Amino acid sequence: VKRLRIGLLGCGTVGGGFVALVDRERDRLRSRYSLDLTIDRILVRDAGKERRGIDPALLTTCATEVIDRDCDVIVEVVGGVHSAGTYVRRAIRQGRHVVTANKALLAATGSELFGAAAARGVTIGFEASVCGGVPVIGVLRRGLAGDSIESITGILNGTSNFILSRLHEGLGFAEALACAQELGFAEADPALDVSGQDAAQKLRILAGLAFDAPIRRTTVVGIDGITPGIIQNARSRGCVVRSVAEATRVAGGIELRVGPKFLAATEPLARIVDETNAIVIRGRAVGEIVLSGRGAGSMPTAAAVLADVLDISCLT
Ligand code: NAP
Ligand code: HSE
């Protein structure tokens, strides 16, 4: 049985789910992959906070105590760009493989981080950074590697879709957002969700994998301007409002667009409700591929993180 030692940065919605999932799957991973996963140390901001199922002895507020240990993989689920970037760069310099769920970090500094990782001979797994538990990164990197991608269209932000679903049921915007936050779907700064920026970051990551062409234009409109009147107007036309992200080929490159749309209630994306995400990928050879599932939340996202950790276990 091979032992894989993990240093965990962050123990909130995703990090806490990851600890619970590793515990739950431990016996299966041992018998199926001859792999023994241990979480050696966990970085948090507040070590005194009550955390069900977490051994307090593992907690630290000092990042180097996690990163500089002799772990095989560093899992970054702290979020944000500044501190998380510092931690990931240090982990790479120390020769650690990294798994991250942090699309903000990758959208802002991905090419630098992937360059540094390649130069140091380590891997960055990022399946959890786009669409939570839906394995779209693996599909684009491996499953569709043989085809030319023509377009990607989808619902990439669970919080926005959850809010729009509630607005259609008559709930107010503020109550719907509070509910999404309570359920752990929203970003620490929910403005990223409702402004469309989170979806745009994910779309940028997908476009980077799917197309060998520069991004020429990006347009991002949030759902923060959606009023009960707009919802009513959509309903009166037999439509629903959804925030749709689209990456399409244009002259000289790729255009990215995120924004609310009226979709006929019979359209496939109109039927995507709550925190569910959906992605329609059109390839020249394969035609249309549709993926859909839980795009946010503790356990679905933790499953994507764990999948990356298992991939990395083959490299150690
Ligand atoms: P979260 O619930 O806010 O958890 C963040 C964790 O990181 C907390 O344990 C926090 O410590 C710790 N932390 C934050 N800043 C820190 C710092 N500067 N130093 C030390 N520890 C720090 O966030 P989350 O929802 O799990 O999201 C984490 C990442 O996953 C983000 O990049 C997010 O975009 C991404 N993601 C989230 C979801 C989702 O559904 N939530 C899905 C996909 C991807 P305390 O516990 O002490 O506050
Ligand atoms: N805040 C994000 C969302 C989490 O609602 O989609 C998943 O990336």
Side-chain angles (χ1 to χ4, degrees):
V1 173
K2 181 161 89 176
R3 188 164 174 230
L4 193 85
R5 296 174 59 192
I6 301 164
L8 180 60
L9 304 174
C11 195
T13 301
V14 182
F18 179 71
V19 176
L21 191 64
V22 167
D23 273 352
R24 193 172 85 187
E25 298 301 315
R26 179 162 282 114
D27 291 346
R28 184 182 66 85
L29 299 178
R30 203 169 221 280
S31 69
R32 180 152 182 190
Y33 302 112
S34 286
L35 192 61
D36 197 4
L37 297 186
T38 57
I39 298 174
D40 271 21
R41 209 94 171 97
I42 305 175
L43 176 74
V44 290
R45 235 176 342 212
D46 175 3
K49 202 189 267 183
E50 176 83 17
R51 299 171 202 269
R52 201 178 318 146
I54 307 289
D55 176 357
L58 297 182
L59 299 176
T60 176
T61 55
C62 174
T64 54
E65 274 185 31
V66 182
I67 300 166
D68 294 3
R69 285 174 88 84
D70 197 17
C71 289
D72 301 293
V73 189
I74 297 294
V75 170
E76 184 279 303
V77 284
V78 159
V81 173
H82 184 70
S83 301
T86 306
Y87 303 154
V88 168
R89 284 183 196 92
R90 186 176 183 102
I92 292 169
R93 276 201 306 278
Q94 304 274 19
R96 313 268 180 261
H97 298 288
V98 172
V99 172
T100 181
N102 192 336
K103 56 272 170 156
L105 179 66
L106 294 180
T109 62
S111 45
E112 172 225 321
L113 296 176
F114 288 111
R120 191 65 178 80
V122 296
T123 300
I124 302 178
F126 56 104
E127 184 61 72
S129 68
V130 182
C131 297
V134 182
V136 61
I137 301 290
V139 166
L140 282 173
R141 290 178 88 182
R142 291 184 284 275
L144 294 176
D147 199 6
S148 295
I149 305 302
E150 290 173 337
S151 65
I152 298 175
T153 308
I155 290 174
L156 305 184
N157 184 264
T159 299
S160 296
N161 206 56
F162 182 91
I163 292 171
L164 291 171
S165 303
R166 296 293 82 77
L167 293 185
H168 273 280
E169 293 168 0
L171 201 68
F173 196 101
E175 296 96 310
L177 171 57
C179 194
Q181 288 178 294
E182 180 69 23
L183 291 164
F185 304 148
E187 294 302 301
D189 175 5
L192 286 168
D193 295 294
V194 299
S195 66
Q197 290 301 332
D198 177 84
Q201 288 162 354
K202 292 165 176 165
L203 190 61
R204 181 171 285 273
I205 293 169
L206 296 181
L209 292 173
F211 305 108
D212 297 314
I215 292 166
R216 291 290 175 210
R217 274 190 304 277
T218 304
T219 313
V220 184
V221 180
I223 62 156
D224 29 11
I226 300 295
T227 59
I230 294 172
I231 297 284
Q232 200 44 52
N233 185 6
R235 288 168 77 97
S236 68
R237 298 166 186 227
C239 292
V240 296
V241 182
R242 291 288 178 263
S243 175
V244 179
E246 296 168 281
T248 46
R249 290 187 185 275
V250 290
I254 305 300
E255 176 171 13
L256 307 184
R257 283 190 311 271
V258 175
K261 277 193 159 182
F262 280 19
L263 301 180
T266 49
E267 283 190 41
L269 289 185
R271 292 199 289 263
I272 301 300
V273 294
D274 301 338
E275 79 277 22
T276 308
N277 284 186
I279 312 104
V280 182
I281 306 170
R282 175 164 284 284
R284 199 172 293 163
V286 299
E288 211 169 81
I289 304 272
V290 184
L291 300 166
S292 141
R294 291 203 175 131
S298 180
M299 295 308 266
T301 310
V305 171
L306 183 51
D308 275 344
V309 169
L310 295 178
D311 271 355
I312 284 170
S313 74
C314 303
L315 306 173
T316 63

